[in-house]
PDB file of all heavy atoms in Angstrom:
ATOM      1  N   LYS A 666      24.692   7.672  -9.646  1.00 95.00           N
ATOM      2  CA  LYS A 666      25.022   7.201 -11.013  1.00 95.00           C
ATOM      3  C   LYS A 666      23.757   7.315 -11.887  1.00 95.00           C
ATOM      4  O   LYS A 666      23.814   7.812 -13.040  1.00 95.00           O
ATOM      5  CB  LYS A 666      25.454   5.737 -10.928  1.00 95.00           C
ATOM      6  CG  LYS A 666      26.130   5.249 -12.148  1.00 95.00           C
ATOM      7  CD  LYS A 666      26.720   3.836 -11.895  1.00 95.00           C
ATOM      8  CE  LYS A 666      28.161   3.986 -11.601  1.00 95.00           C
ATOM      9  NZ  LYS A 666      28.882   2.754 -11.503  1.00 95.00           N
ATOM     10  N   THR A 667      22.628   6.886 -11.386  1.00 97.00           N
ATOM     11  CA  THR A 667      21.376   6.971 -12.126  1.00 97.00           C
ATOM     12  C   THR A 667      20.982   8.437 -12.387  1.00 97.00           C
ATOM     13  O   THR A 667      20.577   8.790 -13.501  1.00 97.00           O
ATOM     14  CB  THR A 667      20.239   6.260 -11.375  1.00 97.00           C
ATOM     15  OG1 THR A 667      20.627   4.896 -11.122  1.00 97.00           O
ATOM     16  CG2 THR A 667      18.927   6.261 -12.141  1.00 97.00           C
ATOM     17  N   TYR A 668      21.113   9.283 -11.365  1.00 97.00           N
ATOM     18  CA  TYR A 668      20.801  10.702 -11.474  1.00 97.00           C
ATOM     19  C   TYR A 668      21.633  11.318 -12.605  1.00 97.00           C
ATOM     20  O   TYR A 668      21.121  12.023 -13.473  1.00 97.00           O
ATOM     21  CB  TYR A 668      21.027  11.412 -10.176  1.00 97.00           C
ATOM     22  CG  TYR A 668      20.661  12.883 -10.243  1.00 97.00           C
ATOM     23  CD1 TYR A 668      19.426  13.331  -9.957  1.00 97.00           C
ATOM     24  CD2 TYR A 668      21.640  13.830 -10.594  1.00 97.00           C
ATOM     25  CE1 TYR A 668      19.081  14.686 -10.066  1.00 97.00           C
ATOM     26  CE2 TYR A 668      21.330  15.168 -10.706  1.00 97.00           C
ATOM     27  CZ  TYR A 668      20.074  15.614 -10.422  1.00 97.00           C
ATOM     28  OH  TYR A 668      19.750  16.922 -10.530  1.00 97.00           O
ATOM     29  N   ASN A 669      22.950  11.095 -12.568  1.00 97.00           N
ATOM     30  CA  ASN A 669      23.845  11.696 -13.533  1.00 97.00           C
ATOM     31  C   ASN A 669      23.498  11.285 -14.946  1.00 97.00           C
ATOM     32  O   ASN A 669      23.582  12.105 -15.898  1.00 97.00           O
ATOM     33  CB  ASN A 669      25.308  11.372 -13.241  1.00 97.00           C
ATOM     34  CG  ASN A 669      25.795  12.120 -12.000  1.00 97.00           C
ATOM     35  OD1 ASN A 669      25.265  13.167 -11.658  1.00 97.00           O
ATOM     36  ND2 ASN A 669      26.822  11.592 -11.361  1.00 97.00           N
ATOM     37  N   THR A 670      23.169  10.016 -15.174  1.00 97.00           N
ATOM     38  CA  THR A 670      22.792   9.558 -16.516  1.00 97.00           C
ATOM     39  C   THR A 670      21.474  10.146 -16.915  1.00 97.00           C
ATOM     40  O   THR A 670      21.318  10.664 -18.042  1.00 97.00           O
ATOM     41  CB  THR A 670      22.691   7.987 -16.504  1.00 97.00           C
ATOM     42  OG1 THR A 670      23.972   7.478 -16.132  1.00 97.00           O
ATOM     43  CG2 THR A 670      22.303   7.494 -17.875  1.00 97.00           C
ATOM     44  N   MET A 671      20.488  10.122 -16.017  1.00 98.00           N
ATOM     45  CA  MET A 671      19.139  10.568 -16.362  1.00 98.00           C
ATOM     46  C   MET A 671      19.093  12.078 -16.577  1.00 98.00           C
ATOM     47  O   MET A 671      18.364  12.557 -17.443  1.00 98.00           O
ATOM     48  CB  MET A 671      18.140  10.165 -15.284  1.00 98.00           C
ATOM     49  CG  MET A 671      16.722  10.473 -15.702  1.00 98.00           C
ATOM     50  SD  MET A 671      15.478   9.877 -14.550  1.00 98.00           S
ATOM     51  CE  MET A 671      15.590   8.111 -14.847  1.00 98.00           C
ATOM     52  N   VAL A 672      19.853  12.884 -15.823  1.00 97.00           N
ATOM     53  CA  VAL A 672      19.810  14.316 -15.975  1.00 97.00           C
ATOM     54  C   VAL A 672      20.339  14.710 -17.399  1.00 97.00           C
ATOM     55  O   VAL A 672      19.819  15.628 -18.009  1.00 97.00           O
ATOM     56  CB  VAL A 672      20.555  15.085 -14.852  1.00 97.00           C
ATOM     57  CG1 VAL A 672      22.063  15.061 -15.068  1.00 97.00           C
ATOM     58  CG2 VAL A 672      20.041  16.476 -14.714  1.00 97.00           C
ATOM     59  N   GLN A 673      21.284  13.940 -17.915  1.00 98.00           N
ATOM     60  CA  GLN A 673      21.768  14.199 -19.287  1.00 98.00           C
ATOM     61  C   GLN A 673      20.660  13.888 -20.297  1.00 98.00           C
ATOM     62  O   GLN A 673      20.409  14.650 -21.239  1.00 98.00           O
ATOM     63  CB  GLN A 673      22.973  13.390 -19.606  1.00 98.00           C
ATOM     64  CG  GLN A 673      24.206  13.815 -18.845  1.00 98.00           C
ATOM     65  CD  GLN A 673      25.402  12.883 -19.056  1.00 98.00           C
ATOM     66  OE1 GLN A 673      25.279  11.774 -19.600  1.00 98.00           O
ATOM     67  NE2 GLN A 673      26.566  13.350 -18.644  1.00 98.00           N
ATOM     68  N   ARG A 674      19.983  12.762 -20.066  1.00 98.00           N
ATOM     69  CA  ARG A 674      18.869  12.360 -20.983  1.00 98.00           C
ATOM     70  C   ARG A 674      17.717  13.389 -20.907  1.00 98.00           C
ATOM     71  O   ARG A 674      17.083  13.708 -21.891  1.00 98.00           O
ATOM     72  CB  ARG A 674      18.362  10.990 -20.653  1.00 98.00           C
ATOM     73  CG  ARG A 674      19.389   9.883 -20.741  1.00 98.00           C
ATOM     74  CD  ARG A 674      19.343   9.120 -22.009  1.00 98.00           C
ATOM     75  NE  ARG A 674      20.197   7.982 -22.262  1.00 98.00           N
ATOM     76  CZ  ARG A 674      21.388   7.681 -21.783  1.00 98.00           C
ATOM     77  NH1 ARG A 674      21.973   8.443 -20.901  1.00 98.00           N
ATOM     78  NH2 ARG A 674      22.060   6.635 -22.196  1.00 98.00           N
ATOM     79  N   TYR A 675      17.448  13.843 -19.685  1.00 97.00           N
ATOM     80  CA  TYR A 675      16.375  14.832 -19.471  1.00 97.00           C
ATOM     81  C   TYR A 675      16.708  16.095 -20.205  1.00 97.00           C
ATOM     82  O   TYR A 675      15.856  16.675 -20.911  1.00 97.00           O
ATOM     83  CB  TYR A 675      16.233  15.093 -17.974  1.00 97.00           C
ATOM     84  CG  TYR A 675      15.246  16.189 -17.640  1.00 97.00           C
ATOM     85  CD1 TYR A 675      13.873  15.988 -17.726  1.00 97.00           C
ATOM     86  CD2 TYR A 675      15.691  17.406 -17.181  1.00 97.00           C
ATOM     87  CE1 TYR A 675      12.987  17.036 -17.411  1.00 97.00           C
ATOM     88  CE2 TYR A 675      14.778  18.443 -16.854  1.00 97.00           C
ATOM     89  CZ  TYR A 675      13.450  18.221 -16.977  1.00 97.00           C
ATOM     90  OH  TYR A 675      12.556  19.220 -16.673  1.00 97.00           O
ATOM     91  N   ASN A 676      17.937  16.589 -20.101  1.00 97.00           N
ATOM     92  CA  ASN A 676      18.322  17.825 -20.790  1.00 97.00           C
ATOM     93  C   ASN A 676      18.210  17.633 -22.289  1.00 97.00           C
ATOM     94  O   ASN A 676      17.761  18.551 -22.992  1.00 97.00           O
ATOM     95  CB  ASN A 676      19.736  18.208 -20.373  1.00 97.00           C
ATOM     96  CG  ASN A 676      19.843  18.731 -18.974  1.00 97.00           C
ATOM     97  OD1 ASN A 676      18.843  19.266 -18.449  1.00 97.00           O
ATOM     98  ND2 ASN A 676      20.975  18.612 -18.370  1.00 97.00           N
ATOM     99  N   GLY A 677      18.631  16.491 -22.811  1.00 97.00           N
ATOM    100  CA  GLY A 677      18.477  16.217 -24.241  1.00 97.00           C
ATOM    101  C   GLY A 677      17.040  16.200 -24.696  1.00 97.00           C
ATOM    102  O   GLY A 677      16.707  16.734 -25.756  1.00 97.00           O
ATOM    103  N   THR A 678      16.187  15.573 -23.868  1.00 97.00           N
ATOM    104  CA  THR A 678      14.737  15.509 -24.234  1.00 97.00           C
ATOM    105  C   THR A 678      14.135  16.902 -24.205  1.00 97.00           C
ATOM    106  O   THR A 678      13.373  17.255 -25.097  1.00 97.00           O
ATOM    107  CB  THR A 678      14.015  14.593 -23.235  1.00 97.00           C
ATOM    108  OG1 THR A 678      14.609  13.273 -23.298  1.00 97.00           O
ATOM    109  CG2 THR A 678      12.546  14.475 -23.566  1.00 97.00           C
ATOM    110  N   CYS A 679      14.453  17.694 -23.205  1.00 95.00           N
ATOM    111  CA  CYS A 679      13.982  19.077 -23.136  1.00 95.00           C
ATOM    112  C   CYS A 679      14.444  19.859 -24.367  1.00 95.00           C
ATOM    113  O   CYS A 679      13.651  20.636 -24.932  1.00 95.00           O
ATOM    114  CB  CYS A 679      14.409  19.761 -21.870  1.00 95.00           C
ATOM    115  SG  CYS A 679      13.541  19.122 -20.422  1.00 95.00           S
ATOM    116  N   LYS A 680      15.657  19.670 -24.749  1.00 96.00           N
ATOM    117  CA  LYS A 680      16.205  20.367 -25.940  1.00 96.00           C
ATOM    118  C   LYS A 680      15.387  19.980 -27.175  1.00 96.00           C
ATOM    119  O   LYS A 680      15.018  20.849 -27.984  1.00 96.00           O
ATOM    120  CB  LYS A 680      17.651  20.069 -26.122  1.00 96.00           C
ATOM    121  CG  LYS A 680      18.333  20.815 -27.254  1.00 96.00           C
ATOM    122  CD  LYS A 680      19.784  20.537 -27.320  1.00 96.00           C
ATOM    123  CE  LYS A 680      20.423  21.328 -28.452  1.00 96.00           C
ATOM    124  NZ  LYS A 680      21.838  21.069 -28.640  1.00 96.00           N
TER     125      LYS A 680
END
Side-chain angles (χ1 to χ4, degrees):
K666 197 173 260 187
T667 303
Y668 181 89
N669 287 337
T670 301
M671 188 174 289
V672 79
Q673 290 175 347
R674 301 260 182 335
Y675 174 74
N676 288 334
T678 301
C679 288
K680 184 176 180 182

